[in-house]
Amino acid sequence: MLREETPKEERCRIEAANRFSQVGFRFYDGLLNVKDGWGWGCINDDGEQVIPCKYADQILFSDTGYARVNMGRHKYGLIDRKGFEWIPCEYDNAQEFDDDGYARFEKGIYWGTVDEQGRIHIQPRMKFQQIGPFIDGVAMAKIDTKWGLIDPDGNHLTEFKYYEIAPLADGMYRVRIKPKLYNFLKPDGSHLFSTDFSFIHEFDENGFAIFFIEPSKKEREANPDVRTKYGVAHISGIILYPPIYEHLSLIEESEGKDVYYAQVGKQGFYLFQNGRALDVNQLEAGRKEDARARRPLRDQRNEDRPRCRGRAAFPPVRGFRRRSCLGRRRLGRSLRASRWLRE
């Protein structure tokens, strides 16, 4: 949320309108964009020039205290609030510092990195066509059309053989090994699972993920009725439920753990994250057995109820006229049925 301008900043902005050809709308974190001639720069609330007016666009600082600037002719660099150029304005693109303290820049079609002390760690001549932000000393990188993992000095942590890499939690990466094969990649370059999947979703907060394996073209030709098989895997590398289910979906959450519904043919199962699988038919049979077990007790309660043996057995109910014995018997049944439902 932006704070309001102080009276001092407001007076400085009004005075700057007489000194410069154009001024920004307001102060942002103590700096005001001003334009002198063709270039943009910044002044502070004392009217002092902090950043010279030599950049082609307005200067917008992020929460990290850095801003990407354009010197003109699409040459970009990175500066701080004091105007120091951490990345000179001679590159085709420049990105801010990541959480590990590395900023990325592009020259031609290749990328490099620089740290917060201004030292270049990865030169564009190393021919990385794309470099992602570093997370715990590991970053995604692209060479030609394949992806891999590198360290801050550009050393290869994995082979560059993946079609796609997506960072996930806990330092994991979901990688596409082939056009239709996925797995998870550890920071050390090893695969989490020994089996590749047609696709695997992200892990939930309990460390479980649904995956599926599609039949190959040869399998479809041999058996047109073959279907995609689903299973559940854990972040520890264990396959909790093997891919034998024709349908698998999340249905509810029970005591902080998810419950899945799965099908094999017409047979349904409830799958729990503790490894317990419950047959839906057995569950329904158990419910019917419980209902049959409770029926004798209910019949005994019915036997204890008064029978229709005269007017005293069923006194008149307010709002109803006196009825015949048959009518009072029907009324008694309806009242008892309502009590059973409430129980």
Side-chain angles (χ1 to χ4, degrees):
M1 183 175 180
L2 295 175
R3 62 174 179 83
E4 295 184 0
E5 282 186 322
T6 63
K8 182 179 179 181
E9 290 175 340
E10 186 176 359
R11 289 194 301 271
C12 180
R13 180 166 51 81
I14 295 174
E15 294 174 359
N18 298 324
R19 293 170 49 195
F20 299 95
S21 59
Q22 192 173 347
V23 298
F25 176 71
R26 55 163 299 154
F27 274 85
Y28 291 95
D29 296 330
L31 294 177
L32 176 69
N33 274 279
V34 294
K35 187 177 183 181
D36 187 8
W38 70 273
W40 286 89
C42 290
I43 61 173
N44 59 18
D45 55 2
D46 292 326
E48 299 173 346
Q49 189 89 35
V50 178
I51 300 175
C53 297
K54 62 178 183 178
Y55 300 107
D57 301 320
Q58 291 195 37
I59 303 170
L60 303 176
F61 288 94
S62 66
D63 296 336
T64 60
Y66 297 94
R68 190 181 77 155
V69 291
N70 179 11
M71 184 63 80
R73 296 183 180 179
H74 303 289
K75 295 299 180 181
Y76 296 91
L78 192 70
I79 65 172
D80 60 15
R81 294 184 182 276
K82 296 181 181 180
F84 180 77
E85 291 188 356
W86 291 92
I87 299 178
C89 294
E90 58 186 33
Y91 298 104
D92 300 316
N93 199 348
Q95 301 291 333
E96 296 184 14
F97 287 96
D98 54 32
D99 294 338
D100 283 13
Y102 297 97
R104 294 159 288 149
F105 58 88
E106 182 183 16
K107 188 172 185 179
I109 61 172
Y110 301 118
W111 286 77
T113 61
V114 60
D115 63 16
E116 293 179 331
Q117 285 73 41
R119 294 176 298 184
I120 295 179
H121 284 254
I122 299 178
Q123 294 283 354
R125 65 172 178 268
M126 298 180 75
K127 296 184 178 181
F128 292 113
Q129 294 180 346
Q130 197 166 343
I131 300 175
F134 281 90
I135 303 174
D136 297 330
V138 180
M140 307 176 299
K142 183 180 180 182
I143 296 179
D144 296 330
T145 60
K146 299 298 178 65
W147 290 82
L149 299 180
I150 61 172
D151 65 8
D153 294 324
N155 299 317
H156 295 193
L157 300 179
T158 65
E159 298 181 24
F160 279 72
K161 62 179 182 179
Y162 301 106
Y163 288 83
E164 177 184 330
I165 293 184
L168 304 174
D170 299 325
M172 294 285 184
Y173 295 84
R174 182 169 58 197
V175 294
R176 183 157 61 99
I177 305 170
K178 293 182 179 180
K180 291 186 178 181
L181 282 182
Y182 288 80
N183 206 322
F184 282 102
L185 190 65
K186 299 179 183 178
D188 59 3
S190 61
H191 287 178
L192 180 62
F193 299 104
S194 58
T195 303
D196 299 328
F197 312 109
S198 298
F199 188 77
I200 182 167
H201 296 271
E202 294 185 18
F203 293 110
D204 60 19
E205 58 183 6
N206 297 320
F208 294 92
I210 297 176
F211 67 89
F212 62 85
I213 297 179
E214 294 179 341
S216 63
K217 184 177 180 181
K218 292 183 179 179
E219 292 174 339
R220 291 184 183 276
E221 292 176 352
N223 183 10
D225 297 331
V226 66
R227 296 184 179 181
T228 301
K229 303 295 183 179
Y230 295 83
V232 179
H234 189 255
I235 195 171
S236 61
I238 299 174
I239 303 297
L240 183 64
Y241 293 103
I244 61 175
Y245 303 100
E246 298 173 358
H247 171 79
L248 196 151
S249 61
L250 178 67
I251 56 173
E252 65 180 24
E253 184 176 341
S254 174
E255 298 179 355
K257 294 185 178 180
D258 293 331
V259 180
Y260 306 95
Y261 176 75
Q263 272 187 308
V264 178
K266 295 183 179 180
Q267 182 64 43
F269 299 90
Y270 292 120
L271 307 181
F272 298 86
Q273 292 186 345
N274 59 3
R276 179 190 175 197
L278 185 61
D279 191 333
V280 175
N281 291 338
Q282 293 179 357
L283 179 63
E284 294 298 330
R287 290 176 179 175
K288 292 180 180 179
E289 186 65 27
D290 292 341
R292 284 194 296 268
R294 291 193 299 268
R295 186 174 300 170
L297 179 61
R298 186 182 63 187
D299 294 341
Q300 182 63 35
R301 290 201 304 264
N302 294 341
E303 292 294 333
D304 297 338
R305 295 182 184 275
R307 299 294 182 178
C308 183
R309 292 173 182 155
R311 294 182 180 274
F314 288 94
V317 180
R318 181 176 299 178
F320 291 89
R321 295 180 300 172
R322 287 185 177 271
R323 298 175 181 270
S324 64
C325 182
L326 178 61
R328 289 197 298 273
R329 186 182 297 117
R330 291 175 178 173
L331 177 61
R333 289 175 181 172
S334 63
L335 292 176
R336 289 196 298 273
S338 64
R339 293 193 190 99
W340 295 338
L341 292 175
R342 288 197 299 271
E343 293 175 359

